Amino acid sequence: MRPDSILTLSCPDRTGIVYRVSGLLYDHGCNILDAQQFGDEESGRFFLRVHFDRDAGLPLDIVHASMQSLASDFGMDWQLHDGRRRARLLVLVSKQGHCLNDLLFRAHSGQLKVDIAAVASNHADFSPLAASYGIPFHHLPVSAETREVQERQIIDLVEREKIDLVVLARYMQILSPTMCRALAGRAINIHHSFLPSFKGAQPYHQAHARGVKIIGATAHYVTEDLDEGPIIEQDVARVDHAMTPRELVRLGSDTESQVLARAVRRHVEHRILLNGHRTVVFR
């Protein structure tokens, strides 16, 4: 079976980009399995994702070296990924475990092609859950006085376990600017963005008290600007006057789990390219 790879790139839009990229792959005996592209008139940038396979005797480094010259000609920001490599995840969680439970099941069942290398939390509640999947659990309590030390422990864990993506699965701690910079482009958060007026504790109870008719969730990249990172995935669910706060929590939890799983999938499949503060997400 021929090994597959994924090329992603963005650059100033101009004539000949697809022609040159596809020609380079053809010259190396590669076969394009899927290609998606987008030209953004506002930013003037072009975005491309190409999934291709190659002869088993052709090292990916050879394609990489050829792309370097082409990328220089077009001013490309680009990455070349081995399609067979499974991303390694670190999941951070606090005291709400629905997103963690969903990710663990999807990874274990093969629905999500990732390896969850570790789970870390400022509480010990979900140690048994992680253990049931044979995944190391790290209890890292935190306070205002110990925040810097605790974040250093998380970064050390990321480096030691060669983590590709950190997933904040309802991790109810605000990351410091230093940590946000250390994890730039490789940390995803989930939150109830369709309840923007209901901040703080018990947002679904606040929403119920106001009689909202729609709730939802947003997955986004973590940045120093709290909950304002580039958006990856969103979804909503309709609610009505007959639903209790508990029912809103249940429905919201389901929505959050699904949105986060879709965002993780698109990241590890290299379907997301940054376009300023926005994202291009190829389906």
Side-chain angles (χ1 to χ4, degrees):
M1 184 175 180
R2 288 162 59 98
D4 65 313
S5 307
I6 298 168
L7 169 67
T8 59
L9 65 88
S10 69
C11 62
D13 201 356
R14 54 180 274 198
T15 302
I17 300 170
V18 175
Y19 172 78
R20 291 287 301 278
V21 170
S22 58
L24 182 151
L25 295 176
Y26 174 81
D27 289 342
H28 286 85
C30 301
N31 179 47
I32 294 176
L33 305 173
D34 176 73
Q36 298 180 72
Q37 64 190 63
F38 171 67
D40 182 21
E41 293 184 0
E42 288 187 22
S43 65
R45 293 189 68 81
F46 179 80
F47 303 84
L48 178 66
R49 178 186 186 272
V50 182
H51 182 202
F52 64 93
D53 65 19
R54 66 188 193 281
D55 188 272
L58 175 67
L60 190 57
D61 289 346
I62 300 297
V63 181
H64 191 280
S66 297
M67 270 300 304
Q68 285 183 315
S69 176
L70 178 60
S72 178
D73 292 343
F74 284 85
M76 293 176 178
D77 295 322
W78 63 286
Q79 291 183 311
L80 187 59
H81 308 275
D82 185 341
R84 299 168 299 177
R85 185 180 180 278
R86 295 166 64 92
R88 292 176 58 80
L89 270 56
L90 167 64
V91 182
L92 302 182
V93 65
S94 290
K95 293 180 74 70
Q96 299 180 56
H98 52 281
C99 289
L100 169 64
N101 186 56
D102 183 77
L103 290 172
L104 289 171
F105 174 77
R106 290 176 189 269
H108 178 74
S109 63
Q111 296 180 35
L112 192 59
K113 295 182 179 180
V114 300
D115 292 324
I116 298 180
V119 175
S121 177
N122 53 322
H123 300 280
D125 300 51
F126 297 112
S127 176
L129 177 61
S132 71
Y133 284 93
I135 294 175
F137 182 89
H138 300 266
H139 181 208
L140 304 176
V142 63
S143 66
E145 294 74 25
T146 64
R147 182 173 305 279
E148 184 176 345
V149 173
Q150 191 252 18
E151 288 194 342
R152 184 66 252 175
Q153 291 175 314
I154 294 175
I155 294 299
D156 288 344
L157 185 58
V158 168
E159 295 173 350
R160 183 169 68 251
E161 294 295 335
K162 297 181 173 56
I163 299 298
D164 299 297
L165 179 67
V166 176
V167 182
L168 281 63
R170 294 311 302 266
Y171 180 65
M172 306 305 289
Q173 295 291 317
I174 298 175
L175 304 188
S176 70
T178 299
M179 190 165 182
C180 289
R181 289 192 292 270
L183 299 177
R186 52 179 182 148
I188 292 176
N189 184 39
I190 184 71
H191 73 107
H192 47 270
S193 70
F194 284 94
L195 306 178
S197 298
F198 312 117
K199 299 180 180 179
Q202 296 187 310
Y204 291 109
H205 290 73
Q206 297 178 53
H208 179 266
R210 290 283 298 275
V212 303
K213 298 297 181 279
I214 192 169
I215 61 174
T218 291
H220 64 89
Y221 284 115
V222 174
T223 66
E224 296 179 49
D225 298 318
L226 181 62
D227 291 339
E228 294 185 14
I231 293 171
I232 302 169
E233 177 64 25
Q234 295 179 295
D235 207 349
V236 297
R238 297 205 64 84
V239 299
D240 62 40
H241 63 279
M243 300 180 71
T244 65
R246 178 176 292 183
E247 289 173 317
L248 262 65
V249 170
R250 175 188 57 77
L251 188 58
S253 296
D254 289 345
T255 305
E256 291 169 8
S257 298
Q258 293 168 18
V259 167
L260 182 58
R262 291 200 295 264
V264 170
R265 181 186 305 279
R266 284 163 186 164
H267 178 92
V268 301
E269 292 180 353
H270 313 293
R271 297 183 180 276
I272 308 167
L273 287 82
L274 291 179
N275 185 17
H277 293 295
R278 298 178 294 158
T279 56
V280 173
V281 183
F282 290 122
R283 303 294 177 180

